[in-house]
Amino acid sequence: MPQPSDFPANAFRKWDVTDDALFYEQPRFVTHIDDAAIAALTDLYREMLPAGGVILDLMSSWVSHLPPEVSYTEVVGHGMNTAELAANPGLNRYFIQDLNKTPKLPLADDAMDAVLICVSIQYLEQPIAVLSEAARVLKPGGCVIVSFSNRCFPTKAVAIWQALDDAGHVDLVSHYLTRAGFDRIEAKVLRDGSVSDPMFVVMGWTADR
Ligand SMILES: C[S@@+](CC[C@H](N)C(=O)[O-])C[C@H]1O[C@@H](n2cnc3c(N)ncnc32)[C@H](O)[C@@H]1O
């Protein structure tokens, strides 16, 4: 899907234009944010995600940061590396898909209570197409939670992300969610970065039909 015309030309270009599958071929069993930032995100998930719900963890790896004591009916994972996703103890099933090639998700309409995208939104070249898909697979009143810090793989982050600071990233993700048709949007600073990695979330809800 072409990007809307309200973005500058080349906003979604990357320094490394080789296939993303090459970059993610090797598993990375690391965490991309520090323990305090992870704990803050897990607390938010504990508050926001319904126990017994059906959750989609988009752009996942070997960790999902879900509260370990909460049971969900199903957690579906998605990512780029089979070994990472196979090692993720929170997932009931997973699929591999390059969202920069194919933004359409192989999932039914109105299937999910929540969709998560953790420290990964900066790698999407068609973020509005992907987030529109998140809206499609969410149930009415369902929630997407996009979280991010101030780190990235710089060769793989899109140009517009690299051009902005933390506040700009919050505005950018809010804009993506608006353009993807989310009904209500709310941003939160989970950690301000003074004593740990900063952690920001932008959440969007689908309309109650
Ligand atoms: C920094 S990792 C974050 C992983 C995980 N969400 C976490 O919290 O640790 C970035 C992730 O973005 C995903 N990703 C990057 N490029 C992608 C693409 N073209 N299509 C689909 N997923 C992609 C991969 O799953 C990769 O593991």
Side-chain angles (χ1 to χ4, degrees), residues 120-152:
S120 302
I121 190 81
Q122 62 270 24
Y123 306 118
L124 290 179
E125 295 167 23
Q126 302 178 67
I128 295 167
V130 173
L131 290 167
S132 299
E133 278 291 288
R136 179 184 65 77
V137 304
L138 278 169
K139 297 174 185 174
C143 179
V144 64
I145 303 179
V146 182
S147 58
F148 46 92
S149 185
N150 62 354
R151 301 195 222 164
C152 65

Side-chain angles (χ1 to χ4, degrees), residues 150-163:
N150 62 354
R151 301 195 222 164
C152 65
F153 299 127
T155 58
K156 282 292 180 186
V158 294
I160 194 167
W161 189 269
Q162 308 237 42

Side-chain angles (χ1 to χ4, degrees), residues 81-109:
N81 185 282
T82 305
E84 290 177 9
L85 295 169
N88 186 326
L91 305 180
N92 299 102
R93 63 185 171 97
Y94 59 83
F95 63 99
I96 304 283
Q97 182 173 318
D98 184 337
L99 295 174
N100 290 333
K101 288 188 171 163
T102 310
K104 172 117 184 111
L105 299 176
L107 298 167
D109 295 358

